[in-house]
Amino acid sequence: MLLLHRTESISKSAAQDLTFVIKHPLKLYIFTTYLHENNSYMNILIINPILHTIANDKMWPEFKTIKDTMIYGMALGFIKLGHTVTLATCANYKPSRLENYDFDVIFFKSNISRIAKPARLPFSWDFIKYLSNNHQKFDLVVASECFQLYTLAASIICPSKTVIWQEMNLHQRIMLKIPSKIWHNVVVPIFMRQIRCIIPRSVSAKEFISQYTCRVSSQTVDHGIDIDKFPASIHKKRQLISSSRLIVRKGVDGIIRNFNCLHKITEYSDIKLIIAGRGPEESNLRKIVSDNNLNEYVEFVGFLPRHELGKMISESMALLINTSQDLNIVSIPESISAGTPVLTTSLTALSSFINTNKLGIAKKTWTENEMIDIINNNPVYSENCCNIRNQLSSQYAAQKIIDIAMTQQ
């Protein structure tokens, strides 16, 4: 595996020759071998201004931690490989209580928030000043999303060091998609043409962003997770699990109705459904359960600590997802890592990965028939999940980003 350097840890001449080296495969091999043998590592800036999805940007929730976010887990992947990491994010997501982090985290104050809303497209003068004054000390800049003002700043200030990690696989629906379409048709091809590359997080993201630039890697890299928190098991209880916020777009009501159809089949009438999570829809969901006489077979367990949720997922026959909007769902790789197949709508970013590797079923609309398939063939699906779990680790994803960045010209 390839490792990059921290600029200050090697000779000045070697650092000056980096651009030349990257363009010559043999020299690239010799250079990276030298760095690996001398235990040299990278200083990486991760730019991820939006840490949480905000349903209503007029009513901001109180954040207790950022350690449960996807990007924090990914940053730990780089740390575990030996690199130094700084995370740049928006101050609106700063936790209400003081936290100690495993790497430097800088929260930047948002400006012109009425136009550049922190929940959608945050802007910060302080970030631009920081990047202008400090970009020389970073060897690699990993920025989330093309359609972000923070990413635009990095693309202009330090394009040769910048890798854009692209999640979106369609235009944002705000204002009839007009801002997104203008951005991708004008800003991306003009101001992001000199960046190192764009690394898509899914096949659908690759297909989407490739319409607007040729700087797209042919390889995809999804979010990594700490697989040690989700021990794999092929020994399952007769239960299924749903884990999400209990809000309308998660479609948990549809999960309950499909489960009700499954429950009416004698062969599967003993199976239970666990619903993990909290939210404003909980009372409505409990009513659906009660109206269908499922109280003995559906259990609401509320919000669970990560280790408890991991254990519960690993004991279940399938993780059920019925979202109408979400792309990246952290519980999907966590479930696969635990040896538990996933039944999900095809909207999710990992849908093709799930179907290709037979890690469950991803379908536009699924019913009790797909639930039966996974239950009946659970040992096969579970074994497939266990066999692929190492590819879901944050270290694997972090190293893959570095390898792709090094080989792009």
Side-chain angles (χ1 to χ4, degrees), residues 245-276:
R245 292 175 60 202
L246 304 184
I247 55 179
V248 173
R249 76 166 189 267
K250 297 295 185 178
V252 180
D253 57 335
I255 291 177
I256 295 172
R257 291 189 174 95
N258 284 333
F259 176 77
N260 185 44
C261 293
L262 176 74
H263 181 70
K264 291 178 180 178
I265 303 173
T266 304
E267 186 179 351
Y268 308 100
S269 61
D270 63 314
I271 290 179
K272 294 185 177 182
L273 172 63
I274 295 172
I275 297 178

Side-chain angles (χ1 to χ4, degrees), residues 336-352:
I336 295 171
S337 176
T340 298
V342 179
L343 177 54
T344 178
T345 53
S346 55
L347 175 67
T348 56
L350 284 177
S351 59
S352 61

Side-chain angles (χ1 to χ4, degrees), residues 308-359:
E308 289 184 27
L309 178 61
K311 182 175 184 297
M312 199 163 284
I313 289 176
S314 69
E315 293 173 344
S316 300
M317 300 185 80
L319 173 70
L320 308 179
I321 295 173
N322 192 39
T323 181
S324 61
Q325 185 175 333
D326 302 270
L327 300 177
N328 273 307
I329 300 177
V330 69
S331 57
I332 291 180
E334 290 174 348
S335 179
I336 295 171
S337 176
T340 298
V342 179
L343 177 54
T344 178
T345 53
S346 55
L347 175 67
T348 56
L350 284 177
S351 59
S352 61
F353 178 74
I354 290 169
N355 286 335
T356 300
N357 294 284
K358 301 186 185 309
L359 308 173

Side-chain angles (χ1 to χ4, degrees), residues 60-306:
W60 279 74
E62 179 181 311
F63 302 110
K64 295 183 178 180
T65 181
I66 68 167
K67 293 184 178 181
D68 59 353
T69 60
M70 290 184 179
I71 202 65
Y72 193 93
M74 271 301 299
L76 287 178
F78 288 105
I79 292 292
K80 290 176 181 178
L81 290 173
H83 306 295
T84 302
V85 171
T86 300
L87 172 61
T89 188
C90 182
N92 298 70
Y93 300 90
K94 189 174 182 179
S96 56
R97 61 187 181 188
L98 186 64
E99 288 191 301
N100 293 319
Y101 299 124
D102 302 274
F103 45 84
D104 291 337
V105 179
I106 307 177
F107 296 92
F108 291 97
K109 179 183 177 181
S110 295
N111 303 113
I112 56 173
S113 297
R114 290 186 178 182
I115 300 173
K117 296 185 180 298
R120 300 284 183 267
L121 197 67
F123 173 78
S124 172
W125 282 118
D126 289 342
F127 170 73
I128 293 175
K129 293 175 186 176
Y130 172 83
L131 189 61
S132 298
N133 294 332
N134 293 278
H135 70 89
Q136 296 93 343
K137 74 178 184 180
F138 295 108
D139 304 300
L140 181 66
V141 176
V142 180
S144 290
E145 301 301 322
C146 288
F147 191 18
Q148 282 296 331
L149 292 169
Y150 277 63
T151 301
L152 175 60
S155 300
I156 294 173
I157 295 170
C158 50
S160 63
K161 297 180 179 181
T162 299
V163 168
I164 300 176
W165 198 23
Q166 177 72 15
E167 174 182 349
M168 294 301 296
N169 59 4
L170 41 75
H171 289 291
Q172 289 189 12
R173 294 183 242 180
I174 302 173
M175 296 176 62
L176 301 176
K177 304 180 181 179
I178 293 174
S180 178
K181 289 184 176 180
I182 292 175
W183 187 280
H184 286 89
N185 281 284
V186 178
V187 176
V188 171
I190 294 177
F191 295 100
M192 299 180 180
R193 68 181 186 276
Q194 297 296 328
I195 64 166
R196 182 156 295 283
C197 67
I198 297 173
I199 302 177
R201 305 190 197 188
S202 64
V203 173
S204 57
K206 179 175 70 174
E207 293 172 348
F208 170 73
I209 199 61
S210 294
Q211 300 174 75
Y212 308 102
T213 175
C214 61
R215 303 297 299 165
V216 183
S217 169
S218 60
Q219 301 182 65
T220 63
V221 181
D222 190 43
H223 283 283
I225 62 168
D226 186 352
I227 62 175
D228 293 335
K229 292 182 179 179
F230 297 87
S233 174
I234 60 173
H235 303 292
K236 307 296 182 181
K237 295 180 179 180
R238 297 276 287 178
Q239 68 184 35
L240 307 169
I241 187 169
S242 164
S243 174
S244 71
R245 292 175 60 202
L246 304 184
I247 55 179
V248 173
R249 76 166 189 267
K250 297 295 185 178
V252 180
D253 57 335
I255 291 177
I256 295 172
R257 291 189 174 95
N258 284 333
F259 176 77
N260 185 44
C261 293
L262 176 74
H263 181 70
K264 291 178 180 178
I265 303 173
T266 304
E267 186 179 351
Y268 308 100
S269 61
D270 63 314
I271 290 179
K272 294 185 177 182
L273 172 63
I274 295 172
I275 297 178
R278 293 174 181 161
E281 282 296 296
E282 183 170 345
S283 59
N284 293 332
L285 297 174
R286 286 183 179 275
K287 186 177 186 303
I288 295 172
V289 170
S290 179
D291 290 346
N292 288 280
N293 299 314
L294 293 171
N295 291 312
E296 293 183 18
Y297 298 94
V298 178
E299 181 181 4
F300 290 83
V301 296
F303 176 81
L304 295 174
R306 229 53 190 158

